[in-house]
Amino acid sequence: MKRIGLIFLLTFLCSAMQQAQAQQKVAYVGEVRDSLGLPLEFANVMAMDTTKKTIAAFGVTNKQGQFKLLLENQKVYQIKVSFIGFVPFERYFTAKDTQALPVSIQLNNDERNLGSVEVVSEMAVLIQGDTITYKADVFTQGNERKLEDVLKDLPGFEVDEDGQVTVQGKRVDKLLVDGKEFFEGDTKLATKNLPAKAVDKVQVLQNFNDVGPLSGVNNSEQLALNIQLKEDMKNMIFGDLELGAGPEERYKAHANVFYYDKKTNINFIGDANNVGDLAFSMSDYFRFSGGLAGLTGKSGSNFQVSSDQLGIPMAEKNSAKELNNQLGALNYNFTPSSKIRFSGFAIGSKVDNTLGNISERQYVLQSGQKEILNSESNVKSTSGLFKLGITYSPDASLQLDYNVFSRLSNIENSDLQNSLFNNQSNDINGLTTQQPYSIEQQLRAFYAPDEKNVFSVEATYKDQEQDPNYDLQTTKRPFAAIIPMTGNSPYNLLQLKNIGTRQAEAAINYYRILNNTNHINFKLGLNRTSQDLNSSIQEKLDNGSKNDFNDPGLNNLVDYTFSDYYFSLFYKVKFGKLVMNPGLNLHRYNIENQQNGITKGLDKTLLLPSFNAKYNFRNSHSLNLNYGVAASFTDIQNAAQGIIVRGYNSLFAGNPVLDNSWYHNLSLNYFNFNMYNFLNVSGGVNYQKRFDDITNIIDFSGLERVNTPVNIDVANENLSGNASIDKRFDHYRLSLSGNWSRSVTNNRISDLDNENVSFQQGYKAGLSTTVFKALELNFYYAVSFNNYTARSTSSKFENHKPSAKVILRFLKDFRFDTDYEYNKYKNTSNGTESNYGLLNAKLSYRKEGSKWEFKTSAMNLLNTTGVRRDSFSESLISTYEYFIQKRYFLLSAIYDL
């Protein structure tokens, strides 16, 4: 409680200081109009400090042409007003609290017809259609290190700890540098590595589309950022190098090297450390390895190819005992002429991570006894991701793309566990190994013979192999009633499995532009996926021999084919500020499932509607409604009926007669960013109702269970929402956000119908401020409530987390960074409570104008040993204590290239 009180005291002192500063300031309010007296929206208004020669305040006019600047009383400023196509306005004035309101400023048409580039260079913010351009130097203070520091200074931008960017409440889908994708548009690699000094302008590209002929005809909702580099950073190598070392053999080596010219862009990122800095995490690997975008998902149909790689634990800094990571990443773009471009990347990573936790597990519809599970896992992974892309565009009407994407990895996950249940102890040793690979090819062609017609053809082919093998050793005999083992303790089972997938997709689109407000789109496509799965269970005996089980129920040999032929019709119509896009998708499905000499099949025809409506109140202020009915089909892993060992107490048996699920999806999203008062409001509601949903029948025998998927006849549903408000004042910023989710899922446990209800809420408030440009203070308070209810079980958890981040610049060349969070975690169902804090600090020195920087870092100064989490599944409620890295120190040197 003392720590919480200290944070609130600092917040109070910060607010008091800002109040004192605000009392010395006056509001300079005015309006900007053209020569005809009409208001000019999005005009830039800057007040220049005539003494320091810096920007003292900045604003953008609203729809009524109004602006407001907060300035120091009795101080002389130079006001500059600019708008594209008009002669810039400049005037000196003295800010007074007796100012006559409002000040009226008239801009005259620029009869000299200045080039837009020359005018834009004088504007801090330029809004042109779906593009917003920010001049970075206007908003930054000059001490930013990386791109993420620049983006955090821009109004309406948010960058989270993982480097993901949101603008005006919308998540950024792609990031470009000088118009070209940076590592497949990944925001994390860009925000964490691109030097701030190289950034000239930041462009927000709404409704982004990287295919010229499709501009204006398809319904892209993508949001992209384009980072424009300074001219003096081109035709030269720039970046930085870092080397660090500390006690207990701690080390860190990091390199960023960039080269840009008109034809060639090369980006290299290298990293090796054992201090928990994840330049490329397992979650990043899975995001990249999603491969090329599928085609049928856009037509309301979903065939999900499951991946066993998702069973590999995700290691993060605050959930792992030891983290050792190595990364080499190369991104390139080569444009030999205006007609052709080559691009791609190669990423190699190696991890050796150790995770440990203690979990208390309560099984739904079981006795009141709980399982205590101690676990330690080691994950070793070597992986490679590669992509080559060729784009040929001889003119604006034609574009041809060819892409090939491949991934391969060698993953080993070992688990040492001890299970204590019903006073019985079981030592468990599990080892999962796999060497999966996939290769995907895509060919696309887009052609617009005239302004009224657009054609496109897209085809992809994917070849994928997965071979997860699971080696299980236990002191207690596993699955005695199902698997006829003959050995003695320790018992040893080996689950072998191999899945091959070959997927071909193709789609032909025709867009007809009827007039300025009416478009029509016809689409014809197919998805054909063939899979084969073979699996077997073996017992490894003490003498080194193996016992193969001949029971067909313990083996799988399956061939599975899914075919989807579809025709889609979409109509786009515009009524003023309202754009509507209804659609119909007609699908013909065929499934063949052959196993154990028996072939089962499914043939059906479905009509799936969709609807989208968007109302644009004005630029950066919109309301978006989406509704669609989707048919979801399962892949071979759910259809293979032979037993699969998934864990020390879990078996899975598929169902060869599964049908599809029906998903009704409804979402309503609101965005409003006001450049006049820098108020950002966003929110959304999402509702999903799932009929004939695939869920599990769970058959328990003590601690052990067998899961079998079925189409349940009771609807499952999920309702979620989020809201945020962000307000920037002169020197500080306030933010409030919240999210909540209520899901209802039904299953059957030990022949009893069970309804699971999960209600999760999270709220966060933040205050950020800068005092005298030397002290940055960021205070947050977050609270979460997780309530889990099943037929005979209920658990409630809550976590209160105040936190603070402080940056202090002193003695001109020194900088001190520290961040602290305090967690008060409660299980309110049984009254248990856990309190812990995390404190990190960093002191750095860089002489002005020097290429060298030196810093010392200290992580987990309080030497906290573990953090708390909770989770809820269809049959299990768990609370975890994750062990984390102990305190360490690091001394580093950084050199700017």
Side-chain angles (χ1 to χ4, degrees):
M1 293 304 295
K2 291 181 180 178
R3 296 183 178 95
I4 298 176
L6 177 61
I7 289 177
F8 279 111
L9 176 61
L10 290 172
T11 306
F12 173 77
L13 292 175
C14 171
S15 301
M17 293 177 68
Q18 293 302 329
Q19 267 191 328
Q21 290 182 354
Q23 289 174 357
Q24 302 172 6
K25 295 203 170 186
V26 297
Y28 186 75
V29 181
E31 57 185 18
V32 180
R33 296 179 178 271
D34 62 13
S35 57
L36 299 178
L38 299 176
L40 289 176
E41 186 180 9
F42 306 132
N44 285 204
V45 184
M46 291 186 290
M48 306 295 297
D49 189 316
T50 56
T51 303
K52 300 178 181 179
K53 305 300 182 182
T54 59
I55 297 174
F58 167 77
V60 176
T61 57
N62 61 9
K63 193 173 183 178
Q64 290 74 39
Q66 300 169 335
F67 67 88
K68 179 172 66 175
L69 307 176
L70 288 178
L71 304 170
E72 293 184 31
N73 193 23
Q74 299 299 323
K75 192 168 184 177
V76 178
Y77 294 93
Q78 181 188 25
I79 189 170
K80 292 185 176 183
V81 183
S82 55
F83 192 78
I84 191 168
F86 290 81
V87 178
F89 173 90
E90 296 183 8
R91 186 174 70 187
Y92 288 90
F93 71 98
T94 301
K96 299 179 180 179
D97 53 10
T98 57
Q99 171 205 343
L101 302 178
V103 174
S104 182
I105 297 174
Q106 177 181 307
L107 296 184
N108 297 315
N109 293 330
D110 190 352
E111 298 178 355
R112 297 172 298 169
N113 193 25
L114 293 176
S116 59
V117 174
E118 190 175 344
V119 176
V120 170
S121 66
E122 296 296 325
M123 298 186 67
V125 178
L126 176 65
I127 302 177
Q128 294 175 299
D130 288 335
T131 302
I132 306 175
T133 303
Y134 296 84
K135 189 169 175 58
D137 291 345
V138 174
F139 300 94
T140 55
Q141 301 181 43
N143 46 36
E144 292 76 13
R145 294 288 296 136
K146 299 296 181 182
L147 174 61
E148 64 177 339
D149 302 318
V150 175
L151 298 181
K152 288 176 182 178
D153 290 333
L154 302 182
F157 281 69
E158 291 281 354
V159 184
D160 65 20
E161 293 182 355
D162 293 327
Q164 302 303 313
V165 185
T166 57
V167 181
Q168 301 171 17
K170 300 179 182 179
R171 186 183 176 110
V172 172
D173 301 295
K174 281 187 178 294
L175 192 142
L176 317 174
V177 177
D178 274 354
K180 296 167 185 172
E181 283 191 359
F182 184 90
F183 283 102
E184 196 69 3
D186 182 66
T187 59
K188 175 183 174 179
L189 289 180
T191 56
K192 297 290 185 182
N193 294 283
L194 197 66
K197 66 179 183 180
V199 180
D200 182 24
K201 298 183 181 70
V202 177
Q203 288 186 315
V204 179
L205 310 176
Q206 303 177 80
N207 304 317
F208 174 73
N209 193 325
D210 59 352
V211 180
L214 292 184
S215 299
V217 296
N218 69 344
N219 297 311
S220 172
E221 291 289 335
Q222 283 198 106
L223 183 68
L225 289 186
N226 180 36
I227 309 302
Q228 295 185 342
L229 302 178
K230 295 178 180 177
E231 286 300 321
D232 59 0
M233 287 294 172
K234 300 178 181 179
N235 300 304
M236 64 175 291
I237 294 176
F238 64 93
D240 55 69
L241 306 174
E242 178 179 356
L243 287 175
E248 300 180 346
E249 300 183 345
R250 298 287 181 179
Y251 70 90
K252 179 178 181 180
H254 190 87
N256 300 311
V257 182
F258 306 97
Y259 176 80
Y260 287 84
D261 66 20
K262 291 182 179 180
K263 291 186 177 182
T264 306
N265 302 162
I266 298 176
N267 312 287
F268 172 78
I269 299 171
D271 187 273
N273 74 85
N274 64 354
V275 295
D277 288 343
L278 301 181
F280 195 75
S281 65
M282 290 298 291
S283 57
D284 296 325
Y285 170 77
F286 290 129
R287 185 173 65 253
F288 268 86
S289 63
L292 307 174
L295 304 177
T296 53
K298 302 175 184 178
S299 64
S301 184
N302 178 31
F303 178 74
Q304 186 66 42
V305 178
S306 56
S307 173
D308 284 280
Q309 296 177 57
L310 298 180
I312 302 300
M314 301 293 183
E316 301 293 345
K317 180 178 290 188
N318 289 335
S319 65
K321 293 174 65 176
E322 290 292 337
L323 292 166
N324 294 272
N325 299 273
Q326 300 174 34
L327 168 74
L330 177 70
N331 183 80
Y332 59 90
N333 283 277
F334 176 56
T335 310
S337 72
S338 60
K339 296 181 180 181
I340 191 167
R341 177 166 63 91
F342 300 89
S343 63
F345 61 80
I347 301 174
S349 67
K350 185 177 182 179
V351 301
D352 184 355
N353 299 331
T354 301
L355 300 85
N357 68 78
I358 300 175
S359 61
E360 183 179 282
R361 299 150 69 94
Q362 181 175 348
Y363 292 89
V364 175
L365 288 180
Q366 299 306 294
S367 63
Q369 295 175 323
K370 298 179 181 179
E371 179 191 19
I372 304 298
L373 185 67
N374 286 269
S375 301
E376 181 168 300
S377 300
N378 178 256
V379 179
K380 294 181 180 179
S381 171
T382 304
S383 60
L385 298 166
F386 309 93
K387 183 180 179 182
L388 168 66
I390 304 173
T391 298
Y392 176 69
S393 183
D395 53 56
S397 65
L398 177 64
Q399 179 173 321
L400 301 175
D401 294 340
Y402 171 75
N403 295 283
V404 57
F405 175 87
S406 65
R407 63 175 180 178
L408 53 91
S409 57
N410 186 348
I411 304 173
E412 180 181 290
N413 178 25
S414 61
D415 291 311
L416 292 175
Q417 298 174 303
N418 175 264
S419 170
L420 183 62
F421 179 76
N422 198 20
N423 294 321
Q424 295 186 20
S425 177
N426 187 15
D427 292 325
I428 305 146
N429 187 352
L431 176 65
T432 301
T433 58
Q434 53 183 313
Q435 294 179 320
Y437 77 87
S438 70
I439 183 168
E440 299 175 64
Q441 298 182 75
Q442 181 186 70
L443 181 64
R444 306 190 304 172
F446 308 93
Y447 178 56
D450 52 51
E451 295 181 354
K452 297 289 186 180
N453 301 281
V454 180
F455 300 88
S456 73
V457 179
E458 301 176 77
T460 65
Y461 181 76
K462 178 179 181 179
D463 189 351
Q464 174 179 289
E465 292 288 336
Q466 300 174 79
D467 59 347
N469 296 322
Y470 180 46
D471 191 338
L472 173 67
Q473 295 183 30
T474 63
T475 55
K476 183 181 177 182
R477 181 177 174 178
F479 319 114
I482 299 175
I483 302 178
M485 302 181 69
T486 59
N488 301 312
S489 179
Y491 300 93
N492 196 174
L493 281 177
L494 182 62
Q495 173 69 71
L496 303 176
K497 185 165 63 169
N498 186 278
I499 311 108
T501 301
R502 289 152 297 281
Q503 186 175 56
E505 292 185 80
I508 300 173
N509 275 281
Y510 169 60
Y511 302 88
R512 173 67 179 178
I513 302 174
L514 303 176
N515 51 48
N516 291 335
T517 58
N518 293 271
H519 299 174
I520 194 167
N521 172 209
F522 301 96
K523 183 176 183 179
L524 186 65
L526 68 89
N527 173 12
R528 182 176 175 83
T529 303
S530 61
Q531 296 182 287
D532 56 78
L533 182 152
N534 64 76
S535 72
S536 62
I537 302 175
Q538 298 176 345
E539 180 184 10
K540 297 170 68 175
L541 302 175
D542 294 339
N543 58 10
S545 63
K546 295 181 181 179
N547 180 19
D548 293 316
F549 301 110
N550 297 319
D551 185 346
L554 301 179
N555 297 274
N556 281 294
L557 185 59
V558 187
D559 289 311
Y560 190 85
T561 303
F562 170 84
S563 300
D564 175 15
Y565 303 90
Y566 61 93
F567 173 77
S568 301
L569 172 64
F570 302 97
Y571 188 77
K572 185 176 181 180
V573 59
K574 183 177 182 180
F575 299 99
K577 297 181 178 181
L578 176 65
V579 178
M580 294 189 296
N581 187 17
L584 289 173
N585 303 283
L586 180 64
H587 289 262
R588 175 65 180 176
Y589 298 101
N590 175 265
I591 294 177
E592 292 184 3
N593 178 10
Q594 182 178 346
Q595 50 186 311
N596 298 326
I598 300 174
T599 300
K600 297 183 182 296
L602 180 150
D603 287 283
K604 64 167 48 181
T605 301
L606 300 177
L607 183 64
L608 307 175
S610 66
F611 179 77
N612 169 262
K614 185 174 183 179
Y615 187 84
N616 291 297
F617 299 93
R618 56 177 173 79
N619 203 306
S620 301
H621 186 188
S622 64
L623 184 66
N624 200 341
L625 173 70
N626 280 289
Y627 171 74
V629 179
S632 180
F633 292 82
T634 188
D635 77 337
I636 194 171
Q637 297 210 56
N638 274 336
Q641 61 185 359
I643 288 288
I644 299 288
V645 180
R646 287 191 168 179
Y648 69 95
N649 68 336
S650 177
L651 299 177
F652 181 84
N655 183 352
V657 293
L658 287 173
D659 205 342
N660 67 283
S661 303
W662 294 85
Y663 286 17
H664 290 257
N665 301 289
L666 177 67
S667 65
L668 182 66
N669 294 286
Y670 175 78
F671 303 98
N672 183 10
F673 179 66
N674 193 323
M675 291 289 289
Y676 172 69
N677 57 16
F678 295 111
L679 178 65
N680 184 14
V681 180
S682 64
V685 178
N686 299 276
Y687 177 72
Q688 184 183 79
K689 193 163 188 176
R690 306 187 297 274
F691 297 94
D692 297 325
D693 201 11
I694 295 178
T695 188
N696 282 320
I697 295 177
I698 304 171
D699 186 13
F700 270 98
S701 176
L703 189 64
E704 297 176 339
R705 63 189 186 272
V706 180
N707 292 12
T708 304
V710 296
N711 292 100
I712 199 163
D713 56 4
V714 181
N716 293 331
E717 55 187 338
N718 178 266
L719 177 65
S720 62
N722 66 86
S724 66
I725 182 169
D726 180 287
K727 171 67 175 175
R728 292 197 180 208
F729 297 90
D730 186 30
H731 284 289
Y732 61 96
R733 173 181 180 181
L734 293 172
S735 62
L736 293 170
S737 63
N739 59 81
W740 54 94
S741 174
R742 184 180 188 272
S743 65
V744 178
T745 59
N746 295 272
N747 60 0
R748 193 171 301 129
I749 300 176
S750 298
D751 295 325
L752 294 175
D753 291 333
N754 175 60
E755 181 184 75
N756 296 318
V757 179
S758 170
F759 184 40
Q760 298 176 294
Q761 307 172 71
Y763 305 95
K764 186 175 183 179
L767 168 64
S768 303
T769 187
T770 301
V771 182
F772 305 127
K773 294 187 178 181
L775 179 62
E776 295 180 27
L777 302 172
N778 302 273
F779 303 108
Y780 305 96
Y781 190 94
V783 60
S784 61
F785 304 94
N786 297 336
N787 299 341
Y788 308 128
T789 304
R791 177 166 177 163
S792 62
T793 307
S794 179
S795 295
K796 296 182 179 181
F797 306 93
E798 64 181 65
N799 188 45
H800 296 261
K801 186 172 73 173
S803 60
K805 295 183 179 179
V806 178
I807 300 174
L808 173 64
R809 298 176 180 88
F810 62 99
L811 298 180
K812 190 178 180 180
D813 301 320
F814 287 87
R815 170 171 163 163
F816 177 72
D817 296 65
T818 184
D819 61 87
Y820 171 74
E821 71 174 49
Y822 176 75
N823 290 263
K824 185 176 183 179
Y825 183 89
K826 289 183 179 180
N827 183 340
T828 59
S829 303
N830 58 22
T832 60
E833 182 177 313
S834 175
N835 302 315
Y836 60 91
L838 299 170
L839 176 64
N840 307 307
K842 178 176 65 179
L843 177 64
S844 57
Y845 169 79
R846 177 186 288 265
K847 187 174 179 60
E848 185 175 355
S850 173
K851 290 180 174 291
W852 287 95
E853 178 180 337
F854 302 94
K855 67 178 179 180
T856 179
S857 306
M859 305 300 293
N860 192 12
L861 277 166
L862 301 178
N863 211 22
T864 299
T865 58
V867 299
R868 302 297 299 238
R869 302 284 190 272
D870 56 77
S871 68
F872 182 45
S873 69
E874 58 189 0
S875 62
L876 182 65
I877 300 173
S878 303
T879 60
Y880 297 87
E881 181 181 8
Y882 284 99
F883 303 122
I884 64 174
Q885 292 185 114
K886 62 182 182 179
R887 177 173 51 219
Y888 68 83
F889 301 89
L890 198 70
L891 179 64
S892 305
I894 302 172
Y895 179 74
D896 286 347
L897 298 175

